[in-house]
Amino acid sequence: MTIKIKWSSPVPINSCLFQDKSKTICWRNRSKADERIDINIKDDMEFTLMSENNDIYAKQLVRINTSQPKNYRRRLRSDWSLF
Amino acid sequence: MKHLICLLFIFCHAAHAQCDITYEDCAPVGEWEFSIALGAGLLTNPLNGGKDIPLIVIPNFSYYGEKLFIDNNAIGYTLYENYTISFSAVSQLNRENSFFNRWHPSNIFINTLTKTIVLESLIDSESTDITEVELDDIEERKWAIDAGVQLNWFFNRHNQLKVLFLHNINNVYNGYNGQIEFDHLFIVNFIPNNIFALTAGVNWQSKKQVDYYYGIDAQDNVPAELYYQGSAAFNPYLKLNSHYVINQDWSFKLILKREWLGSSVKNSPLVKDGVIDTLFIGVEYAF
């Protein structure tokens, strides 16, 4: 899955984005960011923007909701392919 | 920290093979689906002495797992799948022997010995223009099971190309067969809740398959003058499938199909018709 991340700060900061405990992307001396990154996510997960000293600038809980209660896949045989 | 920082996440769909049930022909993953159709229909039998197959009650079942699928007469395992391509290993029952079944009631009452005598007497009386062989005069053909690969190429939500290449695996005819099929799904505005599928395709049978089912040789109970050896055949076909949704459980079905037999099948002394027609009209109940 691809996610788009946007953040802004009044002053330039050094920061890294963590998906749960793992670091995904870092910025140096930036006051804003607008990035796309590929991630794997199955369940609800917290994303945290932290400084080099592990100070938390911001965090966001991302909930996984599906609009389709069932998982579907495409049929590979045409309808009534017997005939 | 006194910084005012907002984090904004926007999730985008990446390439995967999730099916959109609003627009596509989808199956729920991990669930069996059963339906039964009741109506009137016919699958014509192109063989001399072969009875048309009535289509009155037609069960339909399928199971689609994450990789494994079972769809009526076929079982498969999807090896690779993305937005546009699905590549699977498949095995399925070969259709051809359904025309050679002799379960129809007339076979129970007709004495095979009598028929043989009649055939021989016709030849003896200089009726040398006999060019046809009846189904009941030949050695029984066996059901074949094939296995091979299947490629589905989804151009978009409404159009797909399917390619099948199979080899016989139960030592019946030991040859190959294949299929190339293009499916187009469409709706018409004046018939709401109805999906049409128009299919154009070609069935290919290798020489060994044509020979086994439509060839005539010493094992068949006919004079040597009627022996026939086939070659590979291409059978093009057109199919129109209409599915009208009445409610969640019931739908109205219409199927029209015509398959034109390739010349090496059509020229067999066993074959009386150059086409196989399928017609069914009825209702389907999904369990």
Side-chain angles (χ1 to χ4, degrees):
Chain A
M1 184 178 286
T2 304
I3 61 168
K4 187 176 182 183
I5 306 154
K6 285 182 85 170
W7 62 261
S8 62
S9 165
V11 295
I13 55 171
N14 295 330
S15 61
C16 289
L17 182 72
F18 287 77
Q19 179 185 354
D20 198 15
K21 304 286 184 196
S22 61
K23 190 185 291 183
T24 57
I25 186 171
C26 291
W27 298 271
R28 293 196 65 80
N29 200 28
R30 295 271 294 271
S31 58
K32 62 180 180 179
D34 188 352
E35 308 268 357
R36 284 173 183 268
I37 60 169
D38 290 328
I39 60 161
N40 290 315
I41 182 168
K42 289 181 179 174
D43 303 311
D44 295 353
M45 192 162 282
E46 192 165 67
F47 286 78
T48 313
L49 188 68
M50 300 207 306
S51 72
E52 292 171 326
N53 302 322
N54 293 333
D55 295 325
I56 297 174
Y57 292 130
K59 58 184 175 183
Q60 173 95 48
L61 178 67
V62 173
R63 293 189 185 280
I64 299 298
N65 296 314
T66 173
S67 57
Q68 294 178 351
K70 293 178 184 175
N71 188 23
Y72 288 90
R73 65 178 289 200
R74 291 175 303 213
R75 289 186 186 280
L76 300 178
R77 313 286 289 197
S78 40
D79 195 18
W80 288 31
S81 57
L82 269 174
F83 302 105
Chain B
M1 299 295 295
K2 294 180 181 177
H3 299 296
L4 179 64
I5 299 174
C6 297
L7 265 181
L8 176 65
F9 290 82
I10 300 170
F11 284 73
C12 310
H13 286 290
H16 60 84
Q18 178 78 7
C19 191
D20 187 338
I21 58 173
T22 312
Y23 303 102
E24 298 175 274
D25 192 11
C26 309
V29 174
E31 290 183 21
W32 282 94
E33 288 192 304
F34 296 94
S35 68
I36 191 159
L38 304 168
L42 200 66
L43 173 63
T44 63
N45 191 327
L47 304 183
N48 288 310
K51 299 293 183 187
D52 293 342
I53 300 166
L55 305 176
I56 308 296
V57 180
I58 304 170
N60 199 24
F61 63 91
S62 67
Y63 172 85
Y64 279 78
E66 292 286 347
K67 301 285 185 186
L68 179 78
F69 65 89
I70 298 166
D71 200 324
N72 288 312
N73 66 328
I75 182 169
Y77 186 86
T78 302
L79 302 167
Y80 175 78
E81 190 169 29
N82 65 18
Y83 256 140
T84 54
I85 296 289
S86 178
F87 184 70
S88 308
V90 293
S91 181
Q92 65 184 47
L93 190 66
N94 190 298
R95 175 202 67 168
E96 227 56 35
N97 197 46
S98 59
F99 302 119
F100 291 80
N101 263 334
R102 304 173 201 197
W103 51 267
H104 47 89
S106 64
N107 285 332
I108 298 169
F109 301 107
I110 294 173
N111 186 311
T112 306
L113 178 62
T114 307
K115 290 172 72 69
T116 305
I117 293 168
V118 170
L119 180 64
E120 286 172 351
S121 67
L122 283 170
I123 293 167
D124 291 344
S125 61
E126 297 182 356
S127 296
T128 53
D129 58 342
I130 294 176
T131 57
E132 295 179 353
V133 174
E134 291 279 324
L135 175 60
D136 291 326
D137 298 324
I138 62 167
E139 184 71 15
E140 188 176 351
R141 276 26 173 189
K142 293 177 182 170
W143 286 100
I145 298 170
D146 302 327
V149 291
Q150 174 180 326
L151 177 74
N152 294 73
W153 184 359
F154 301 93
F155 298 114
N156 50 48
R157 286 169 172 166
H158 307 294
N159 298 291
Q160 73 154 303
L161 184 75
K162 187 176 77 187
V163 181
L164 267 168
F165 186 69
L166 305 166
H167 185 263
N168 176 229
I169 57 167
N170 65 336
N171 204 29
V172 170
Y173 66 90
N174 292 315
Y176 294 90
N177 70 73
Q179 183 185 61
I180 298 178
E181 179 179 289
F182 181 79
D183 294 322
H184 173 62
L185 297 178
F186 64 100
I187 56 172
V188 291
N189 292 332
F190 57 91
I191 312 178
N193 302 330
N194 197 94
I195 298 173
F196 293 96
L198 185 62
T199 303
V202 178
N203 288 325
W204 170 75
Q205 300 181 44
S206 68
K207 172 180 165 55
K208 284 186 175 178
Q209 177 166 332
V210 174
D211 255 349
Y212 178 77
Y213 285 108
Y214 298 99
I216 307 291
D217 59 23
Q219 68 170 347
D220 296 307
N221 186 27
V222 298
E225 291 83 359
L226 294 172
Y227 286 2
Y228 178 77
Q229 200 169 26
S231 57
F234 290 92
N235 297 1
Y237 61 88
L238 280 174
K239 182 166 77 169
L240 177 69
N241 192 330
S242 171
H243 182 91
Y244 180 83
V245 177
I246 301 168
N247 58 40
Q248 191 175 353
D249 300 321
W250 290 93
S251 59
F252 179 78
K253 302 280 285 191
L254 172 69
I255 293 174
L256 299 169
K257 181 183 175 188
R258 170 158 282 193
E259 179 175 341
W260 290 268
L261 300 179
S263 58
S264 79
V265 174
K266 193 167 58 180
N267 293 339
S268 167
L270 262 172
V271 175
K272 69 175 189 294
D273 290 330
V275 296
I276 299 170
D277 287 327
T278 307
L279 164 67
F280 179 83
I281 187 166
V283 292
E284 184 177 37
Y285 180 80
F287 295 95

